[in-house]
Amino acid sequence: MPSIKEIMETMEYGPAPESNTDVKRWLDSHSGGISHFINGKFVAPTGPMTDVINPADDSVIATLAKGTQDDVDAAVKAARAAFSKWSALPGYERAKYLYAIARHVQKRERFLSVLETMDNGKTIRETRDIDIPLVARHFYHHAGWAELLESEYPGFQPVGVCGQVIPWNFPLLMLAWKIAPALAAGNTVVLKPADLTPLTAQAFAEICVDVGLPAGVVNLVHGDGETGSLITGHDDVDKVAFTGSTAVGRMIRKQIAGSGKKLSLELGGKSPFIVFEDADLDAAIEGVVDAVWFNQGEVCCAGTRLIVQEGVAEQFFGKLDARLQKLRIGDPLDKTMDVGAVVSHTQLKRINALVKKGEEEGAVLHQWAAELPKKGSFCAPAFFTGTEPAHTVNETEIFGPIACTMTFRTPSEALEIANHSRYGLSASIWSQNIDRAIEAGAKVKAGIVWINATNLFDAGAAFGGYRESGFGREGAREGLHEYLVATSGKKGKPRSATPLEASVSPNLGKGELPEIDITAKMYIGGKQARADGGQSYNVMGKSGVIGQAALGNRKDVRNAVEAAAKAGGWSGVTAHNRAQILYYLAENMSQRRDEFAALLSASNGSSTKAATAEVEQTIRRCFWYAAQADKFDGAVHATKSKHVTLAMPEAWGVMGIVCPDEVPLLSMMSLILPSVAMGNRAVVIASQAHPLLASRLYQVLETSDVPAGVINLITGERDVLAKTLAEHDEVAALWYCGSNENVKMVEEASIGNLKAVWTDGGFERDWRDDSQGQGREFLRRATQIKTIWLPYGE
Ligand code: NAD
């Protein structure tokens, strides 16, 4: 037996297994198969069963049936039937159920931790100290939101029936992230757990029964992707919330395009972990342990691209190798283990194939060198040195305990490497220089930033990404919006799509050229621009043709996007500055109010009184958004002690705006103003029927100090141009006010870079009504929340 002195030197522990007797008993009692939970009842599984495997020893611990169309129909029907009563309950009544769920989770913490470990392979240390406490915290936090909903979210109501699909890496935690906010906001749900890890969801359903949750409020249907797609595509589901891979996220975006379902996507990542040479290197090394080897690296926000400043790189990699060799890998029920089993042999093969690819591409693998357990799907943790940004292992999510490393010389180089990714979920930044760390935090393209920390989660902090990491947020005040819709107003008339004919041939003979070119131009990059194709179209007014507008094409849209991309400085100027320019714009518009009113009357036949009222309201809206430019700001969230957690609304960057024909001046400005007030640069497709207003507008822009490229105005056939905008990867968000059939078209066209698309479903909006045409909702939609965790306090 080793002496205490020897133990202190080797730090060798004996085994410390957590008992799984209770869980085994529970598993025995479910030997008939894991049931769906529909309308408050456990539905005996039917049809062929698949095995649920404990990945740590390959044993079969349960069996599972695949949910069918009938199961999904029954679950959606139950959720719909339960919705009216559940949503009508006072918030404090809903809160009682959520509190009760939280308490029951806490009471069963040990049981749930062991069950999760056996189902997923993750270590008991993590399930016991992280996953399950966070599940309870999520329900407590959202019980509070249920209580406060009416007073904190005036003008909003629940969406309805939510179809939710989750992955296997944090089975119960992802379920909590989905169900808690949905229920708090008054929705009912049909959720599909991952087929590899269905067990804690079954235990959760039992908690729902124990707390007396009304039947149909929570429904669980098990199965694979096919069952998932029956839920996401179901006609009677109003909102889809998905966490999983980017590839499946795209499929779902396509599947439900044009259906009017609200959508949030939490997808993959390949997050940077930047170490500056002034970082506390030992702390950063422990950071890597948490960033990459936590949960076997099966973490969407894992900081797997280690970007280290050259001066300390060698030292850092040496320390990292030494720390890697000290990791303890083995039986995840053993409390002394750092790394457990990856979720399945299939996942292990995938990881190994990517590791092989990394070596083939010339990187050097530094791997944990001891012997892995004989049984189970264990993967030796590792990191690569000598990788290039374009290597497969730097571009592809490995979803295993493998990091890649790169080096940099200057902070700007670090950011260039960090932002060289299709994803944008999270970033970890390590530096003892607060200015440097915060500056990097502001510039890195990620939805979550941890300064001198990594993988911090809390129900009070929004979680979610940019670009191919999806859109929408989970947790905190911001996350609740995913489960609410504005109550305002009735739907207007459906809009129609009208094709356009070019009215002037681009190839006129010399003698045929009109004496003066009266075609209204477009406005791109601060300059008046003719249509690339040289064509125009007739603009019809109340008494026939009132002029010609440029018939823009794809090339014009691309030029405008390029100009908007170059105008990035606008996002960097102070909000005060933006406000001043919008005030100036309002003043200049008011000087031309009569011209605008006359053009409006000529264009759409509105009376002088109505046209003047529209111009007046447009000017007031300019003032309103100018006032909001420096007032619509973020928050400091109360999360864990020792942290200040900032929720910063950030501009998307380049936004596409497709304007409707109704109240054409007011609607166009109601869309442009919130977008640019928040720091976006807009590429605007003006009203197809009333494009001459756009040419009048650029004359105002030219005199109002709006920098070149911030507002670009294109005229032409709305939906041809909208398609190009929706497909363009440089456009981060799109607001589309066109016809119903083309809502589907733009949503489908947006899947390339998974841009956030906001439409009004193809129905006219009452832009004159401030509750529909103006407000914080527009500002919220013009931004996305970046959560920045800063260490603070003792
Ligand atoms: P996956 O996309 O294969 O599956 C996720 C879920 O979707 C599963 O329940 C699956 O059955 C279901 N599914 C599969 N095809 C479907 C379809 N066509 N329609 C509807 N549902 C379908 O992902 P995975 O392998 O289970 O999980 C790993 C992925 O999840 C990684 O990419 C990871 O980054 C991501 N993830 C993201 C977050 C986040 O918050 N951003 C959190 C955890 C995991």
mmCIF file of all heavy atoms in Angstrom, residues 153 286 356 515 630 777:
data_model
loop_
_atom_site.group_PDB
_atom_site.id
_atom_site.type_symbol
_atom_site.label_atom_id
_atom_site.label_comp_id
_atom_site.label_asym_id
_atom_site.label_seq_id
_atom_site.Cartn_x
_atom_site.Cartn_y
_atom_site.Cartn_z
ATOM 1 N N TYR A 153 -43.261 41.703 -20.264
ATOM 2 C CA TYR A 153 -43.407 41.563 -21.722
ATOM 3 C C TYR A 153 -44.784 42.043 -22.184
ATOM 4 O O TYR A 153 -45.551 41.273 -22.765
ATOM 5 C CB TYR A 153 -43.192 40.104 -22.162
ATOM 6 C CG TYR A 153 -41.792 39.602 -21.954
ATOM 7 C CD1 TYR A 153 -41.418 39.040 -20.741
ATOM 8 C CD2 TYR A 153 -40.835 39.676 -22.959
ATOM 9 C CE1 TYR A 153 -40.130 38.588 -20.530
ATOM 10 C CE2 TYR A 153 -39.549 39.222 -22.762
ATOM 11 C CZ TYR A 153 -39.205 38.678 -21.541
ATOM 12 O OH TYR A 153 -37.922 38.227 -21.340
ATOM 13 N N GLU A 286 -5.642 25.368 -17.626
ATOM 14 C CA GLU A 286 -6.846 24.784 -17.005
ATOM 15 C C GLU A 286 -8.079 25.135 -17.839
ATOM 16 O O GLU A 286 -9.024 24.364 -17.934
ATOM 17 C CB GLU A 286 -7.012 25.270 -15.557
ATOM 18 C CG GLU A 286 -5.990 24.680 -14.592
ATOM 19 C CD GLU A 286 -5.831 23.162 -14.717
ATOM 20 O OE1 GLU A 286 -6.823 22.438 -14.645
ATOM 21 O OE2 GLU A 286 -4.676 22.715 -14.920
ATOM 22 N N LYS A 356 -7.181 11.219 -38.135
ATOM 23 C CA LYS A 356 -6.336 10.679 -39.207
ATOM 24 C C LYS A 356 -6.149 11.734 -40.297
ATOM 25 O O LYS A 356 -5.043 11.961 -40.797
ATOM 26 C CB LYS A 356 -7.018 9.423 -39.771
ATOM 27 C CG LYS A 356 -6.175 8.626 -40.702
ATOM 28 C CD LYS A 356 -6.678 7.188 -40.792
ATOM 29 C CE LYS A 356 -6.048 6.508 -41.985
ATOM 30 N NZ LYS A 356 -6.938 6.411 -43.145
ATOM 31 N N GLU A 515 -33.534 62.870 -75.259
ATOM 32 C CA GLU A 515 -32.644 64.016 -75.055
ATOM 33 C C GLU A 515 -32.099 64.088 -73.644
ATOM 34 O O GLU A 515 -30.935 64.319 -73.407
ATOM 35 C CB GLU A 515 -33.385 65.304 -75.401
ATOM 36 C CG GLU A 515 -33.147 65.706 -76.835
ATOM 37 C CD GLU A 515 -33.891 66.956 -77.166
ATOM 38 O OE1 GLU A 515 -33.858 67.888 -76.352
ATOM 39 O OE2 GLU A 515 -34.516 66.979 -78.251
ATOM 40 N N ASP A 630 -29.275 55.851 -29.148
ATOM 41 C CA ASP A 630 -28.395 55.682 -27.989
ATOM 42 C C ASP A 630 -29.161 55.296 -26.727
ATOM 43 O O ASP A 630 -28.675 55.468 -25.616
ATOM 44 C CB ASP A 630 -27.550 56.947 -27.763
ATOM 45 C CG ASP A 630 -28.404 58.176 -27.454
ATOM 46 O OD1 ASP A 630 -29.648 58.088 -27.561
ATOM 47 O OD2 ASP A 630 -27.832 59.223 -27.119
ATOM 48 N N GLU A 777 -39.476 46.235 -30.940
ATOM 49 C CA GLU A 777 -39.363 44.950 -31.623
ATOM 50 C C GLU A 777 -38.499 45.098 -32.887
ATOM 51 O O GLU A 777 -37.712 44.215 -33.223
ATOM 52 C CB GLU A 777 -40.767 44.429 -31.945
ATOM 53 C CG GLU A 777 -40.841 43.042 -32.558
ATOM 54 C CD GLU A 777 -40.264 41.908 -31.692
ATOM 55 O OE1 GLU A 777 -39.815 42.155 -30.570
ATOM 56 O OE2 GLU A 777 -40.240 40.778 -32.205
#
